[in-house]
Amino acid sequence: MKKYYLLFFTLFLLVMSWESQKEALAVFTSNLVPEQSIRLRILANSDSPEDQQLKRQVRDRIIESVQTWAGEAESLQKARTVISNHLPELQQLVQETIKEKGYTYASHVELAQTDFPTKMYGTQVFPAGQYEAVRITIGNAEGKNWWCVLFPPLCFVDIASGDTAAHDKQKNTSQKSKDNNEIQVRFFLVELFHKLFT
């Protein structure tokens, strides 16, 4: 009889695992980049550690600036207007950052259709293609790039995990709920195990 209980217990665990996978899939599909969006792409001068560090410093300054006015855009067309109005400001910010860090690289900031290669972060695949983006080039622009989504404001801190400033609060709430559910499931499994085998 205990063999049947063990079989039931194993099947139950498999069902719970499937439910967890479905939840992960739902999170994945909700994090896809919207069709109507404007990206931000920053290309480093080269792949040297120094140039990649500079790229990240430019990124941080740009994101800090964008956060102060990103909320002004309520539609894609409005976003184009708002971003276009701030391009000179972004250009100045990029050049100031480069100079402050001791480099003499030229830079260019533009809003245009931009080529993106296929990227895979974790289980998420972002297909190659031309996408509207604020394209920032530093020096020769031959190094690895970093990108996020300006509109809607989904600039990823880490695309691999899907973390975004806009989603932090929602993510924390979701994580607490998930933790509570896991605790409940674990208690239930412990109780069931004790009933079957003690």
Side-chain angles (χ1 to χ4, degrees):
M1 193 68 176
K2 286 187 176 181
K3 289 182 179 179
Y4 292 110
Y5 287 136
L6 184 59
L7 177 62
F8 171 78
F9 185 72
T10 303
L11 289 174
F12 178 79
L13 289 178
L14 289 174
V15 170
M16 293 304 298
S17 176
W18 169 245
E19 290 299 322
S20 176
Q21 292 298 319
K22 286 200 300 182
E23 181 182 349
L25 180 62
V27 171
F28 162 69
T29 55
S30 68
N31 282 336
L32 293 178
V33 177
E35 285 187 19
Q36 289 197 327
S37 62
I38 298 177
R39 301 182 179 198
L40 166 65
R41 187 182 187 201
I42 305 175
L43 292 94
N45 177 65
S46 74
D47 284 334
S48 73
E50 295 80 11
D51 284 344
Q52 287 296 311
Q53 176 64 16
L54 176 61
K55 178 194 71 178
R56 289 187 288 271
Q57 291 166 333
V58 168
R59 173 200 66 189
D60 293 344
R61 294 286 295 274
I62 291 294
I63 295 302
E64 184 180 355
S65 174
V66 168
Q67 285 178 342
T68 64
W69 48 263
E72 299 173 18
E74 299 174 355
S75 67
L76 183 62
Q77 186 56 48
K78 178 67 173 175
R80 288 192 185 104
T81 302
V82 171
I83 291 171
S84 295
N85 290 340
H86 284 87
L87 286 181
E89 170 190 328
L90 296 179
Q91 176 68 71
Q92 182 179 353
L93 186 59
V94 171
Q95 204 56 51
E96 285 178 354
T97 304
I98 292 172
K99 185 177 179 180
E100 286 173 9
K101 302 307 175 181
Y103 296 90
T104 57
Y105 298 140
S107 65
H108 184 65
V109 179
E110 64 178 345
L111 175 62
Q113 291 295 319
T114 303
D115 288 322
F116 281 78
T118 298
K119 288 285 185 180
M120 184 169 184
Y121 295 94
T123 59
Q124 300 189 36
V125 178
F126 298 89
Q130 278 210 333
Y131 299 94
E132 188 172 11
V134 172
R135 184 173 184 267
I136 299 176
T137 58
I138 302 172
N140 295 324
E142 295 175 350
K144 292 177 182 176
N145 77 100
W146 178 90
W147 69 272
C148 72
V149 180
L150 285 182
F151 177 83
L154 299 173
C155 275
F156 298 117
V157 173
D158 181 359
I159 292 182
S161 65
D163 292 339
T164 70
H167 287 163
D168 278 348
K169 187 174 181 181
Q170 178 182 353
K171 179 183 168 187
N172 290 339
T173 303
S174 174
Q175 184 63 43
K176 287 179 182 178
S177 175
K178 182 179 177 182
D179 290 344
N180 288 338
N181 288 336
E182 286 180 353
I183 291 170
Q184 291 174 5
V185 169
R186 286 172 186 164
F187 280 133
F188 175 76
L189 291 177
V190 170
E191 290 174 3
L192 179 62
F193 185 83
H194 279 297
K195 285 181 182 178
L196 295 178
F197 301 101
T198 58

mmCIF file with all atom_site columns, all heavy atoms in Angstrom, residues 173-190:
data_model
loop_
_atom_site.group_PDB
_atom_site.id
_atom_site.type_symbol
_atom_site.label_atom_id
_atom_site.label_alt_id
_atom_site.label_comp_id
_atom_site.label_asym_id
_atom_site.label_entity_id
_atom_site.label_seq_id
_atom_site.pdbx_PDB_ins_code
_atom_site.Cartn_x
_atom_site.Cartn_y
_atom_site.Cartn_z
_atom_site.occupancy
_atom_site.B_iso_or_equiv
_atom_site.pdbx_formal_charge
_atom_site.auth_seq_id
_atom_site.auth_comp_id
_atom_site.auth_asym_id
_atom_site.auth_atom_id
_atom_site.pdbx_PDB_model_num
ATOM 1   N N   . THR A 1 173 ? 6.656  42.488 -4.334 1.00 0.00 ? 173 THR A N   1
ATOM 2   C CA  . THR A 1 173 ? 5.358  41.989 -3.894 1.00 0.00 ? 173 THR A CA  1
ATOM 3   C C   . THR A 1 173 ? 5.137  40.578 -4.393 1.00 0.00 ? 173 THR A C   1
ATOM 4   O O   . THR A 1 173 ? 4.674  39.698 -3.663 1.00 0.00 ? 173 THR A O   1
ATOM 5   C CB  . THR A 1 173 ? 4.224  42.898 -4.430 1.00 0.00 ? 173 THR A CB  1
ATOM 6   O OG1 . THR A 1 173 ? 4.456  44.226 -3.982 1.00 0.00 ? 173 THR A OG1 1
ATOM 7   C CG2 . THR A 1 173 ? 2.876  42.413 -3.937 1.00 0.00 ? 173 THR A CG2 1
ATOM 8   N N   . SER A 1 174 ? 5.480  40.344 -5.661 1.00 0.00 ? 174 SER A N   1
ATOM 9   C CA  . SER A 1 174 ? 5.323  39.022 -6.258 1.00 0.00 ? 174 SER A CA  1
ATOM 10  C C   . SER A 1 174 ? 6.206  38.005 -5.561 1.00 0.00 ? 174 SER A C   1
ATOM 11  O O   . SER A 1 174 ? 5.798  36.875 -5.316 1.00 0.00 ? 174 SER A O   1
ATOM 12  C CB  . SER A 1 174 ? 5.675  39.082 -7.750 1.00 0.00 ? 174 SER A CB  1
ATOM 13  O OG  . SER A 1 174 ? 5.655  37.800 -8.317 1.00 0.00 ? 174 SER A OG  1
ATOM 14  N N   . GLN A 1 175 ? 7.437  38.414 -5.210 1.00 0.00 ? 175 GLN A N   1
ATOM 15  C CA  . GLN A 1 175 ? 8.368  37.499 -4.547 1.00 0.00 ? 175 GLN A CA  1
ATOM 16  C C   . GLN A 1 175 ? 7.864  37.106 -3.175 1.00 0.00 ? 175 GLN A C   1
ATOM 17  O O   . GLN A 1 175 ? 7.957  35.944 -2.769 1.00 0.00 ? 175 GLN A O   1
ATOM 18  C CB  . GLN A 1 175 ? 9.749  38.150 -4.433 1.00 0.00 ? 175 GLN A CB  1
ATOM 19  C CG  . GLN A 1 175 ? 10.816 37.234 -3.833 1.00 0.00 ? 175 GLN A CG  1
ATOM 20  C CD  . GLN A 1 175 ? 11.055 36.011 -4.697 1.00 0.00 ? 175 GLN A CD  1
ATOM 21  O OE1 . GLN A 1 175 ? 11.137 36.119 -5.911 1.00 0.00 ? 175 GLN A OE1 1
ATOM 22  N NE2 . GLN A 1 175 ? 11.141 34.856 -4.072 1.00 0.00 ? 175 GLN A NE2 1
ATOM 23  N N   . LYS A 1 176 ? 7.295  38.085 -2.431 1.00 0.00 ? 176 LYS A N   1
ATOM 24  C CA  . LYS A 1 176 ? 6.755  37.774 -1.107 1.00 0.00 ? 176 LYS A CA  1
ATOM 25  C C   . LYS A 1 176 ? 5.620  36.775 -1.209 1.00 0.00 ? 176 LYS A C   1
ATOM 26  O O   . LYS A 1 176 ? 5.512  35.831 -0.438 1.00 0.00 ? 176 LYS A O   1
ATOM 27  C CB  . LYS A 1 176 ? 6.264  39.065 -0.430 1.00 0.00 ? 176 LYS A CB  1
ATOM 28  C CG  . LYS A 1 176 ? 7.395  39.974 0.040  1.00 0.00 ? 176 LYS A CG  1
ATOM 29  C CD  . LYS A 1 176 ? 6.847  41.239 0.668  1.00 0.00 ? 176 LYS A CD  1
ATOM 30  C CE  . LYS A 1 176 ? 7.960  42.175 1.096  1.00 0.00 ? 176 LYS A CE  1
ATOM 31  N NZ  . LYS A 1 176 ? 7.434  43.436 1.659  1.00 0.00 ? 176 LYS A NZ  1
ATOM 32  N N   . SER A 1 177 ? 4.740  36.987 -2.202 1.00 0.00 ? 177 SER A N   1
ATOM 33  C CA  . SER A 1 177 ? 3.627  36.077 -2.406 1.00 0.00 ? 177 SER A CA  1
ATOM 34  C C   . SER A 1 177 ? 4.124  34.687 -2.763 1.00 0.00 ? 177 SER A C   1
ATOM 35  O O   . SER A 1 177 ? 3.633  33.675 -2.272 1.00 0.00 ? 177 SER A O   1
ATOM 36  C CB  . SER A 1 177 ? 2.722  36.607 -3.517 1.00 0.00 ? 177 SER A CB  1
ATOM 37  O OG  . SER A 1 177 ? 1.703  35.692 -3.807 1.00 0.00 ? 177 SER A OG  1
ATOM 38  N N   . LYS A 1 178 ? 5.137  34.640 -3.629 1.00 0.00 ? 178 LYS A N   1
ATOM 39  C CA  . LYS A 1 178 ? 5.710  33.360 -4.049 1.00 0.00 ? 178 LYS A CA  1
ATOM 40  C C   . LYS A 1 178 ? 6.331  32.637 -2.864 1.00 0.00 ? 178 LYS A C   1
ATOM 41  O O   . LYS A 1 178 ? 6.165  31.432 -2.685 1.00 0.00 ? 178 LYS A O   1
ATOM 42  C CB  . LYS A 1 178 ? 6.758  33.601 -5.132 1.00 0.00 ? 178 LYS A CB  1
ATOM 43  C CG  . LYS A 1 178 ? 7.378  32.323 -5.675 1.00 0.00 ? 178 LYS A CG  1
ATOM 44  C CD  . LYS A 1 178 ? 8.391  32.659 -6.755 1.00 0.00 ? 178 LYS A CD  1
ATOM 45  C CE  . LYS A 1 178 ? 9.075  31.390 -7.265 1.00 0.00 ? 178 LYS A CE  1
ATOM 46  N NZ  . LYS A 1 178 ? 10.102 31.689 -8.274 1.00 0.00 ? 178 LYS A NZ  1
ATOM 47  N N   . ASP A 1 179 ? 7.076  33.397 -2.015 1.00 0.00 ? 179 ASP A N   1
ATOM 48  C CA  . ASP A 1 179 ? 7.715  32.797 -0.843 1.00 0.00 ? 179 ASP A CA  1
ATOM 49  C C   . ASP A 1 179 ? 6.675  32.205 0.090  1.00 0.00 ? 179 ASP A C   1
ATOM 50  O O   . ASP A 1 179 ? 6.850  31.112 0.617  1.00 0.00 ? 179 ASP A O   1
ATOM 51  C CB  . ASP A 1 179 ? 8.547  33.839 -0.105 1.00 0.00 ? 179 ASP A CB  1
ATOM 52  C CG  . ASP A 1 179 ? 9.794  34.240 -0.894 1.00 0.00 ? 179 ASP A CG  1
ATOM 53  O OD1 . ASP A 1 179 ? 10.151 33.502 -1.830 1.00 0.00 ? 179 ASP A OD1 1
ATOM 54  O OD2 . ASP A 1 179 ? 10.379 35.288 -0.571 1.00 0.00 ? 179 ASP A OD2 1
ATOM 55  N N   . ASN A 1 180 ? 5.568  32.949 0.295  1.00 0.00 ? 180 ASN A N   1
ATOM 56  C CA  . ASN A 1 180 ? 4.508  32.460 1.174  1.00 0.00 ? 180 ASN A CA  1
ATOM 57  C C   . ASN A 1 180 ? 3.905  31.179 0.638  1.00 0.00 ? 180 ASN A C   1
ATOM 58  O O   . ASN A 1 180 ? 3.628  30.237 1.389  1.00 0.00 ? 180 ASN A O   1
ATOM 59  C CB  . ASN A 1 180 ? 3.423  33.521 1.337  1.00 0.00 ? 180 ASN A CB  1
ATOM 60  C CG  . ASN A 1 180 ? 3.896  34.692 2.188  1.00 0.00 ? 180 ASN A CG  1
ATOM 61  O OD1 . ASN A 1 180 ? 4.825  34.551 2.967  1.00 0.00 ? 180 ASN A OD1 1
ATOM 62  N ND2 . ASN A 1 180 ? 3.266  35.843 2.025  1.00 0.00 ? 180 ASN A ND2 1
ATOM 63  N N   . ASN A 1 181 ? 3.678  31.149 -0.690 1.00 0.00 ? 181 ASN A N   1
ATOM 64  C CA  . ASN A 1 181 ? 3.102  29.953 -1.302 1.00 0.00 ? 181 ASN A CA  1
ATOM 65  C C   . ASN A 1 181 ? 4.040  28.764 -1.158 1.00 0.00 ? 181 ASN A C   1
ATOM 66  O O   . ASN A 1 181 ? 3.605  27.641 -0.902 1.00 0.00 ? 181 ASN A O   1
ATOM 67  C CB  . ASN A 1 181 ? 2.814  30.191 -2.795 1.00 0.00 ? 181 ASN A CB  1
ATOM 68  C CG  . ASN A 1 181 ? 1.635  31.124 -2.993 1.00 0.00 ? 181 ASN A CG  1
ATOM 69  O OD1 . ASN A 1 181 ? 0.792  31.252 -2.121 1.00 0.00 ? 181 ASN A OD1 1
ATOM 70  N ND2 . ASN A 1 181 ? 1.592  31.782 -4.144 1.00 0.00 ? 181 ASN A ND2 1
ATOM 71  N N   . GLU A 1 182 ? 5.373  29.013 -1.336 1.00 0.00 ? 182 GLU A N   1
ATOM 72  C CA  . GLU A 1 182 ? 6.336  27.934 -1.212 1.00 0.00 ? 182 GLU A CA  1
ATOM 73  C C   . GLU A 1 182 ? 6.355  27.387 0.205  1.00 0.00 ? 182 GLU A C   1
ATOM 74  O O   . GLU A 1 182 ? 6.427  26.178 0.413  1.00 0.00 ? 182 GLU A O   1
ATOM 75  C CB  . GLU A 1 182 ? 7.729  28.436 -1.595 1.00 0.00 ? 182 GLU A CB  1
ATOM 76  C CG  . GLU A 1 182 ? 7.893  28.638 -3.102 1.00 0.00 ? 182 GLU A CG  1
ATOM 77  C CD  . GLU A 1 182 ? 9.273  29.138 -3.472 1.00 0.00 ? 182 GLU A CD  1
ATOM 78  O OE1 . GLU A 1 182 ? 10.041 29.443 -2.534 1.00 0.00 ? 182 GLU A OE1 1
ATOM 79  O OE2 . GLU A 1 182 ? 9.567  29.223 -4.664 1.00 0.00 ? 182 GLU A OE2 1
ATOM 80  N N   . ILE A 1 183 ? 6.252  28.294 1.185  1.00 0.00 ? 183 ILE A N   1
ATOM 81  C CA  . ILE A 1 183 ? 6.237  27.858 2.579  1.00 0.00 ? 183 ILE A CA  1
ATOM 82  C C   . ILE A 1 183 ? 5.027  26.989 2.846  1.00 0.00 ? 183 ILE A C   1
ATOM 83  O O   . ILE A 1 183 ? 5.108  25.938 3.465  1.00 0.00 ? 183 ILE A O   1
ATOM 84  C CB  . ILE A 1 183 ? 6.252  29.075 3.529  1.00 0.00 ? 183 ILE A CB  1
ATOM 85  C CG1 . ILE A 1 183 ? 7.612  29.775 3.446  1.00 0.00 ? 183 ILE A CG1 1
ATOM 86  C CG2 . ILE A 1 183 ? 5.967  28.652 4.966  1.00 0.00 ? 183 ILE A CG2 1
ATOM 87  C CD1 . ILE A 1 183 ? 7.669  31.110 4.157  1.00 0.00 ? 183 ILE A CD1 1
ATOM 88  N N   . GLN A 1 184 ? 3.858  27.397 2.330  1.00 0.00 ? 184 GLN A N   1
ATOM 89  C CA  . GLN A 1 184 ? 2.632  26.625 2.528  1.00 0.00 ? 184 GLN A CA  1
ATOM 90  C C   . GLN A 1 184 ? 2.742  25.257 1.887  1.00 0.00 ? 184 GLN A C   1
ATOM 91  O O   . GLN A 1 184 ? 2.350  24.250 2.456  1.00 0.00 ? 184 GLN A O   1
ATOM 92  C CB  . GLN A 1 184 ? 1.442  27.394 1.956  1.00 0.00 ? 184 GLN A CB  1
ATOM 93  C CG  . GLN A 1 184 ? 1.106  28.654 2.740  1.00 0.00 ? 184 GLN A CG  1
ATOM 94  C CD  . GLN A 1 184 ? 0.023  29.462 2.057  1.00 0.00 ? 184 GLN A CD  1
ATOM 95  O OE1 . GLN A 1 184 ? -0.541 29.030 1.057  1.00 0.00 ? 184 GLN A OE1 1
ATOM 96  N NE2 . GLN A 1 184 ? -0.253 30.630 2.577  1.00 0.00 ? 184 GLN A NE2 1
ATOM 97  N N   . VAL A 1 185 ? 3.293  25.220 0.674  1.00 0.00 ? 185 VAL A N   1
ATOM 98  C CA  . VAL A 1 185 ? 3.435  23.943 -0.031 1.00 0.00 ? 185 VAL A CA  1
ATOM 99  C C   . VAL A 1 185 ? 4.389  23.028 0.720  1.00 0.00 ? 185 VAL A C   1
ATOM 100 O O   . VAL A 1 185 ? 4.126  21.845 0.888  1.00 0.00 ? 185 VAL A O   1
ATOM 101 C CB  . VAL A 1 185 ? 3.954  24.179 -1.470 1.00 0.00 ? 185 VAL A CB  1
ATOM 102 C CG1 . VAL A 1 185 ? 4.362  22.855 -2.110 1.00 0.00 ? 185 VAL A CG1 1
ATOM 103 C CG2 . VAL A 1 185 ? 2.881  24.849 -2.311 1.00 0.00 ? 185 VAL A CG2 1
ATOM 104 N N   . ARG A 1 186 ? 5.495  23.590 1.209  1.00 0.00 ? 186 ARG A N   1
ATOM 105 C CA  . ARG A 1 186 ? 6.462  22.770 1.927  1.00 0.00 ? 186 ARG A CA  1
ATOM 106 C C   . ARG A 1 186 ? 5.865  22.180 3.202  1.00 0.00 ? 186 ARG A C   1
ATOM 107 O O   . ARG A 1 186 ? 6.076  21.020 3.519  1.00 0.00 ? 186 ARG A O   1
ATOM 108 C CB  . ARG A 1 186 ? 7.706  23.616 2.256  1.00 0.00 ? 186 ARG A CB  1
ATOM 109 C CG  . ARG A 1 186 ? 8.586  23.876 1.040  1.00 0.00 ? 186 ARG A CG  1
ATOM 110 C CD  . ARG A 1 186 ? 9.683  24.848 1.344  1.00 0.00 ? 186 ARG A CD  1
ATOM 111 N NE  . ARG A 1 186 ? 10.443 25.195 0.151  1.00 0.00 ? 186 ARG A NE  1
ATOM 112 C CZ  . ARG A 1 186 ? 11.256 26.222 0.054  1.00 0.00 ? 186 ARG A CZ  1
ATOM 113 N NH1 . ARG A 1 186 ? 11.424 27.028 1.083  1.00 0.00 ? 186 ARG A NH1 1
ATOM 114 N NH2 . ARG A 1 186 ? 11.914 26.471 -1.065 1.00 0.00 ? 186 ARG A NH2 1
ATOM 115 N N   . PHE A 1 187 ? 5.101  23.004 3.944  1.00 0.00 ? 187 PHE A N   1
ATOM 116 C CA  . PHE A 1 187 ? 4.449  22.492 5.147  1.00 0.00 ? 187 PHE A CA  1
ATOM 117 C C   . PHE A 1 187 ? 3.479  21.377 4.798  1.00 0.00 ? 187 PHE A C   1
ATOM 118 O O   . PHE A 1 187 ? 3.394  20.358 5.477  1.00 0.00 ? 187 PHE A O   1
ATOM 119 C CB  . PHE A 1 187 ? 3.719  23.617 5.889  1.00 0.00 ? 187 PHE A CB  1
ATOM 120 C CG  . PHE A 1 187 ? 4.630  24.460 6.737  1.00 0.00 ? 187 PHE A CG  1
ATOM 121 C CD1 . PHE A 1 187 ? 4.567  25.835 6.700  1.00 0.00 ? 187 PHE A CD1 1
ATOM 122 C CD2 . PHE A 1 187 ? 5.560  23.865 7.567  1.00 0.00 ? 187 PHE A CD2 1
ATOM 123 C CE1 . PHE A 1 187 ? 5.412  26.622 7.476  1.00 0.00 ? 187 PHE A CE1 1
ATOM 124 C CE2 . PHE A 1 187 ? 6.407  24.636 8.355  1.00 0.00 ? 187 PHE A CE2 1
ATOM 125 C CZ  . PHE A 1 187 ? 6.333  26.018 8.301  1.00 0.00 ? 187 PHE A CZ  1
ATOM 126 N N   . PHE A 1 188 ? 2.752  21.554 3.695  1.00 0.00 ? 188 PHE A N   1
ATOM 127 C CA  . PHE A 1 188 ? 1.772  20.553 3.291  1.00 0.00 ? 188 PHE A CA  1
ATOM 128 C C   . PHE A 1 188 ? 2.467  19.243 2.945  1.00 0.00 ? 188 PHE A C   1
ATOM 129 O O   . PHE A 1 188 ? 2.034  18.167 3.318  1.00 0.00 ? 188 PHE A O   1
ATOM 130 C CB  . PHE A 1 188 ? 0.976  21.055 2.081  1.00 0.00 ? 188 PHE A CB  1
ATOM 131 C CG  . PHE A 1 188 ? 0.021  20.030 1.529  1.00 0.00 ? 188 PHE A CG  1
ATOM 132 C CD1 . PHE A 1 188 ? -1.168 19.742 2.179  1.00 0.00 ? 188 PHE A CD1 1
ATOM 133 C CD2 . PHE A 1 188 ? 0.335  19.341 0.370  1.00 0.00 ? 188 PHE A CD2 1
ATOM 134 C CE1 . PHE A 1 188 ? -2.038 18.794 1.680  1.00 0.00 ? 188 PHE A CE1 1
ATOM 135 C CE2 . PHE A 1 188 ? -0.539 18.399 -0.140 1.00 0.00 ? 188 PHE A CE2 1
ATOM 136 C CZ  . PHE A 1 188 ? -1.720 18.122 0.512  1.00 0.00 ? 188 PHE A CZ  1
ATOM 137 N N   . LEU A 1 189 ? 3.600  19.330 2.228  1.00 0.00 ? 189 LEU A N   1
ATOM 138 C CA  . LEU A 1 189 ? 4.334  18.133 1.831  1.00 0.00 ? 189 LEU A CA  1
ATOM 139 C C   . LEU A 1 189 ? 4.900  17.408 3.041  1.00 0.00 ? 189 LEU A C   1
ATOM 140 O O   . LEU A 1 189 ? 4.880  16.176 3.109  1.00 0.00 ? 189 LEU A O   1
ATOM 141 C CB  . LEU A 1 189 ? 5.461  18.513 0.868  1.00 0.00 ? 189 LEU A CB  1
ATOM 142 C CG  . LEU A 1 189 ? 5.029  18.998 -0.510 1.00 0.00 ? 189 LEU A CG  1
ATOM 143 C CD1 . LEU A 1 189 ? 6.259  19.399 -1.330 1.00 0.00 ? 189 LEU A CD1 1
ATOM 144 C CD2 . LEU A 1 189 ? 4.262  17.920 -1.246 1.00 0.00 ? 189 LEU A CD2 1
ATOM 145 N N   . VAL A 1 190 ? 5.417  18.184 4.016  1.00 0.00 ? 190 VAL A N   1
ATOM 146 C CA  . VAL A 1 190 ? 5.954  17.580 5.241  1.00 0.00 ? 190 VAL A CA  1
ATOM 147 C C   . VAL A 1 190 ? 4.867  16.836 5.988  1.00 0.00 ? 190 VAL A C   1
ATOM 148 O O   . VAL A 1 190 ? 5.051  15.695 6.434  1.00 0.00 ? 190 VAL A O   1
ATOM 149 C CB  . VAL A 1 190 ? 6.589  18.662 6.140  1.00 0.00 ? 190 VAL A CB  1
ATOM 150 C CG1 . VAL A 1 190 ? 6.929  18.079 7.502  1.00 0.00 ? 190 VAL A CG1 1
ATOM 151 C CG2 . VAL A 1 190 ? 7.832  19.220 5.486  1.00 0.00 ? 190 VAL A CG2 1
#
